[in-house]
Amino acid sequence: MTEPTSVKTNFIRQIIDEDLRTGKCTQVATRFPPEPNGYLHLGHVKSVYLNFGIAEDYQGNCNLRFDDTNPHKESMQFVESIMEDVRWLGFYLGERIYYASDYFERLYEFALELIDQGLAYVDDLTSEEIREYRGTLTKPGRESPYRNRTPTENRDLFQRMRNGEYLSGTKVLRAKIDMESPNINLRDPVLYRIRHEVVHHQTKANWCLYPTYDYTHPLSDALEGISHSLCTLEFEDHRPLYDWVLEHIRVPHRPQQIEFARLNMEYTILSKRKLTQLVENGIVEDWDDPRMPTVAGLRRRGYTPTALRTFAHRIGVTKSDSIVELSMLENCLREDLDAHAPRRMVVLNPLKLIIDNYPKEQVEYLDAPNHPKDKTLGTRKLPYGREIYIDKADFCEQAPKNYKRLILGGEVRLRNSYVVRCDTIVKDDQGEIQELHCCYDPETLGKNPVGRKVKGVIHWVAASHAIPMEIRLYERLFATATLESSKNIPKNKNSKDNNSKDEDNPLIANLNPDSLIVLTQALGEPSLATTQPEARFQFEREGYFIRDKLFGPEGRPVFNRAVTLRDTWAKIKTP
RNA sequence: UGGGGUGUAGCCAAGUGGUAAGGCACCAGGUUUUGAUCCUGGCAUACCGAGGUUCGAAUCCUCGCACCCCAGCCA
């Protein structure tokens, strides 16, 4: 795997180094624990890279573990996409694929252990009552009237909960910790709840009793022998509970939780809940829409595993909140594709150019290198004839200062071909330019003309051999760098509900109307006809593109723009 | 106003008492048959603020300030 080579330390690696040095830990083991309720996104890439990267560098293991304790939102589709995405990113999974649900039986036994010690009890309070009893951030909570049931009674009740004798939501198992704790997570957190109406994607109908994350996670880590359990900052408050569970249950191993800051990016959202809304409300095509920050979306957009890994490497790992600029990500892709993507010529908005001094019906085949620096990528043949197409943006009647492209009476180099001079412009009744008449200099193939300097170079395709293509130009999905008031987004994921209007939902209100522009008139050089889906190219002077899996009208190949080339001219032109 | 965290350049981020790495972005110049790439140079007298300790402080102490997270039977 091509890899960012420079070693980069971070506070987590420093903790591991210290643990190894003191002997607190002898074998490094990490885990990547997604819940299969959505697709992996850039934030997960950071986590995958961290966890698998550490395992690799310390000769340890990293388990993929599906945190599947809430069947309500989970599905096999997500399980499969997650495995596919992790593998595509270039991490080897082997046999190390686990499910928290594999441990349900052990977890149940552990719960009995807590009950027997008087450290857990079955509570009959409703969820509303539990909330009331919990108190607030500033007021302590009150103890449930069921809190002092005996272990024997609790054992019996818990058994019956498992047996399906109670309705969903009527009883829960709670840890008996401290209702007055300033840390709300310690105010007798729920350990188990009853869910009858869903079939779990792994355990099917075997259980109606489901453990919560806070209870499941430390125990799963312990059972798998995880040494360092890395999670995001919002779980920092949960660490005392993580430790409480491990202290009061006889486990074979004692893992430690370390928290790091989750990834935030400009102009994008990295929350599975919100991404789910985009998909379910049809704002994007699907989870793999090229505008989505999902691994599947980035892949279809044209990103490479290397670019994503490089990105994860460069942003680092800390505990401070941050918002990473898009240019950081884009640069990682440009770097990879500049080195590896074959070059091609495609005219996005065609304008016909007729070379009057070139014989009618004649076609010659010019050699064009596939890469300006990497000769191992070979060459291809480019047909050249009397009629060609250039891009409308490469000709200008009233050229601004420093314009290097084609103007009336001016010369320009056709990339990989001859120098041409524009002699006349043909317009239609509306004054729109129809075609350009030029003459070419036969002495300029592979060499510069003598006595004059031709600065501009433009791309082109031969009219006789051009293939029609559909080009999709993608931009950021959102028009604003951050979605302020994003907290107002309704938590209900089926948000097309009640009286909420689209303008009220920042997700919709901040959409970039130009996030997708489809060009249906584009023309490409003939070699592009035989490309496979996922083949990536640089279309010279335009950007990096990837062949999509879909076809446009009349079977046209579709290419997605992954990222533009850096464009200093655009900056000069429109400062 | 309870608890838990975080503050180093426009954005990431090293730095762990010895005088502010690196990347992205940006600016200037050079090369160039991609206004790309590449190359060269520039870009924090200063680390949230104010005091203090010290020969010496981004690093230690004190007091402030700002921002983030937590009141799901979600994770």
Side-chain angles (χ1 to χ4, degrees):
Chain A
M1 188 89 232
T2 356
E3 197 52 22
T5 44
S6 59
V7 256
K8 194 166 183 177
T9 189
N10 59 50
F11 78 100
I12 293 174
R13 284 170 180 257
Q14 287 172 356
I15 291 171
I16 294 173
D17 290 338
E18 181 67 6
D19 290 348
L20 253 16
R21 193 184 64 76
T22 61
K24 177 177 174 184
C25 156
T26 52
Q27 180 65 228
V28 175
T30 57
R31 102 270 89 112
F32 171 61
E35 184 189 11
N37 65 346
Y39 276 57
L40 259 31
H41 54 64
L42 268 176
H44 296 104
V45 173
K46 176 178 181 178
S47 178
V48 168
Y49 183 77
L50 209 215
N51 281 293
F52 281 88
I54 283 173
E56 251 169 52
D57 293 347
Y58 288 88
Q59 279 108 36
N61 286 311
C62 178
N63 296 347
L64 170 63
R65 181 168 74 227
F66 292 101
D67 219 329
D68 55 350
T69 57
N70 183 9
H72 185 67
K73 302 187 291 180
E74 300 162 5
S75 74
M76 271 314 280
Q77 181 206 352
F78 296 134
V79 168
E80 279 155 15
S81 74
I82 288 168
M83 291 195 281
E84 158 124 21
D85 288 347
V86 172
R87 290 200 175 101
W88 180 76
L89 282 168
F91 295 100
Y92 176 69
L93 289 180
E95 300 295 302
R96 313 198 74 86
I97 299 171
Y98 302 86
Y99 297 82
S101 55
D102 291 343
Y103 314 131
F104 279 1
E105 192 63 47
R106 315 263 312 257
L107 262 30
Y108 179 82
E109 299 295 327
F110 285 143
L112 257 19
E113 206 177 312
L114 285 178
I115 288 171
D116 291 344
Q117 296 175 81
L119 292 173
Y121 62 98
V122 172
D123 197 348
D124 295 1
L125 254 31
T126 64
S127 55
E128 292 74 32
E129 289 168 330
I130 287 180
R131 194 190 324 128
E132 278 170 38
Y133 276 70
R134 186 154 36 224
T136 69
L137 294 177
T138 48
K139 286 189 195 67
R142 288 143 52 209
E143 296 185 353
S144 163
Y146 305 97
R147 197 174 197 260
N148 292 314
R149 296 216 252 226
T150 63
T152 316
E153 190 183 356
N154 282 320
R155 224 177 204 277
D156 177 58
L157 256 15
F158 190 50
Q159 189 89 250
R160 288 158 174 258
M161 284 167 69
R162 175 180 185 169
N163 292 347
E165 295 182 29
Y166 307 113
L167 263 29
S168 295
T170 54
K171 279 180 167 54
V172 292
L173 184 75
R174 291 230 253 170
K176 193 193 272 194
I177 307 181
D178 177 8
M179 288 308 291
E180 295 188 358
S181 172
N183 181 345
I184 291 189
N185 296 302
L186 261 21
R187 318 239 262 233
D188 290 10
V190 170
L191 267 24
Y192 272 93
R193 70 284 214 190
I194 300 170
R195 287 288 109 98
H196 282 291
E197 44 292 300
V198 275
V199 173
H200 191 284
H201 49 99
Q202 301 299 316
T203 63
K204 310 303 175 198
N206 292 337
W207 290 86
C208 63
L209 197 56
Y210 292 98
T212 57
Y213 167 87
D214 283 321
Y215 176 68
T216 309
H217 212 87
L219 294 170
S220 303
D221 286 343
L223 292 172
E224 290 177 18
I226 301 303
S227 63
H228 301 266
S229 181
L230 315 179
C231 64
T232 44
L233 248 31
E234 65 270 27
F235 293 104
E236 211 151 16
D237 288 344
H238 296 238
R239 192 171 59 224
L241 178 52
Y242 182 99
D243 290 332
W244 184 92
V245 169
L246 296 174
E247 264 161 38
H248 297 282
I249 291 173
R250 280 169 303 157
V251 288
H253 175 80
R254 190 63 197 268
Q256 71 168 311
Q257 172 178 305
I258 304 171
E259 311 84 11
F260 62 93
R262 60 189 308 152
L263 173 67
N264 296 295
M265 302 238 1
E266 282 183 341
Y267 300 101
T268 90
I269 48 172
L270 295 176
S271 138
K272 261 197 272 185
R273 208 189 79 236
K274 293 177 198 163
L275 293 173
T276 302
Q277 282 191 48
L278 293 179
V279 173
E280 292 187 347
N281 293 344
I283 292 167
V284 295
E285 253 179 60
D286 203 346
W287 286 96
D288 71 345
D289 186 299
R291 294 166 295 183
M292 289 284 272
T294 51
V295 172
L298 290 160
R299 175 178 177 175
R300 205 172 150 203
R301 175 75 169 261
Y303 273 80
T304 60
T306 300
L308 262 18
R309 292 164 69 120
T310 302
F311 174 71
H313 181 78
R314 288 189 185 164
I315 56 175
V317 179
T318 68
K319 295 188 72 161
S320 54
D321 293 313
S322 60
I323 301 175
V324 177
E325 290 180 349
L326 238 34
S327 63
M328 191 81 101
L329 211 213
E330 292 178 339
N331 182 263
C332 293
L333 213 219
R334 287 198 187 102
E335 219 171 82
D336 187 22
L337 260 21
D338 174 60
H340 301 112
R343 312 287 128 125
R344 292 292 183 269
M345 292 200 288
V346 172
V347 173
L348 268 30
N349 297 295
L351 169 62
K352 185 174 274 189
L353 188 152
I354 299 160
I355 297 156
D356 292 319
N357 63 338
Y358 196 87
K360 282 180 184 153
E361 311 300 322
Q362 184 175 316
V363 174
E364 62 183 297
Y365 289 85
L366 310 173
D367 281 309
N370 288 327
H371 191 103
K373 290 181 181 169
D374 188 350
K375 297 284 171 278
T376 66
L377 259 37
T379 63
R380 66 195 189 280
K381 292 287 186 187
L382 234 38
Y384 174 74
R386 189 167 197 265
E387 296 192 356
I388 65 171
Y389 288 100
I390 65 168
D391 200 282
K392 284 176 178 162
D394 288 334
F395 177 81
C396 191
E397 271 192 285
Q398 262 94 41
K401 214 175 154 71
N402 301 324
Y403 188 77
K404 297 203 312 198
R405 284 106 102 146
L406 192 59
I407 56 174
L408 186 60
E411 281 187 307
V412 76
R413 158 76 63 185
L414 295 176
R415 176 77 166 150
N416 296 312
S417 178
Y418 302 90
V419 169
V420 295
R421 186 185 68 222
C422 179
D423 296 324
T424 51
I425 305 171
V426 178
K427 294 185 180 175
D428 64 13
D429 300 342
Q430 274 76 250
E432 285 290 302
I433 299 175
Q434 285 298 102
E435 54 189 39
L436 265 20
H437 283 263
C438 297
C439 62
Y440 86 113
D441 181 347
E443 298 307 309
T444 55
L445 186 63
K447 54 188 182 230
N448 285 321
V450 285
R452 63 213 142 100
K453 190 99 180 146
V454 177
K455 284 188 87 177
V457 181
I458 64 174
H459 58 284
W460 56 279
V461 296
S464 57
H465 291 68
I467 50 169
M469 318 195 321
E470 177 170 315
I471 300 285
R472 299 186 178 177
L473 303 179
Y474 291 102
E475 287 288 343
R476 51 191 65 158
L477 225 204
F478 295 100
T480 48
T482 56
L483 298 185
E484 85 289 349
S485 73
S486 60
K487 281 183 180 174
N488 298 335
I489 299 173
K491 280 194 179 180
N492 179 359
K493 63 175 183 172
N494 308 309
S495 75
K496 275 289 182 205
D497 56 13
N498 41 48
N499 44 24
S500 73
K501 292 192 216 67
D502 283 356
E503 314 83 76
D504 297 338
N505 186 340
L507 221 47
I508 295 169
N510 292 312
L511 285 172
N512 172 12
D514 298 323
S515 63
L516 169 58
I517 293 171
V518 180
L519 303 179
T520 53
Q521 306 300 313
L523 296 170
E525 62 173 270
S527 66
L528 256 6
T530 53
T531 51
Q532 296 299 308
E534 297 207 310
R536 301 180 189 87
F537 301 93
Q538 184 197 97
F539 292 169
E540 292 199 81
R541 304 208 309 128
E542 294 291 355
Y544 297 97
F545 292 74
I546 184 172
R547 172 76 188 272
D548 197 81
K549 59 187 176 187
L550 303 176
F551 288 90
E554 294 143 37
R556 292 175 197 191
V558 172
F559 283 84
N560 300 324
R561 185 175 69 195
V563 65
T564 61
L565 254 30
R566 226 186 238 107
D567 191 353
T568 49
W569 171 241
K571 268 185 269 182
I572 298 165
K573 210 170 41 173
T574 50

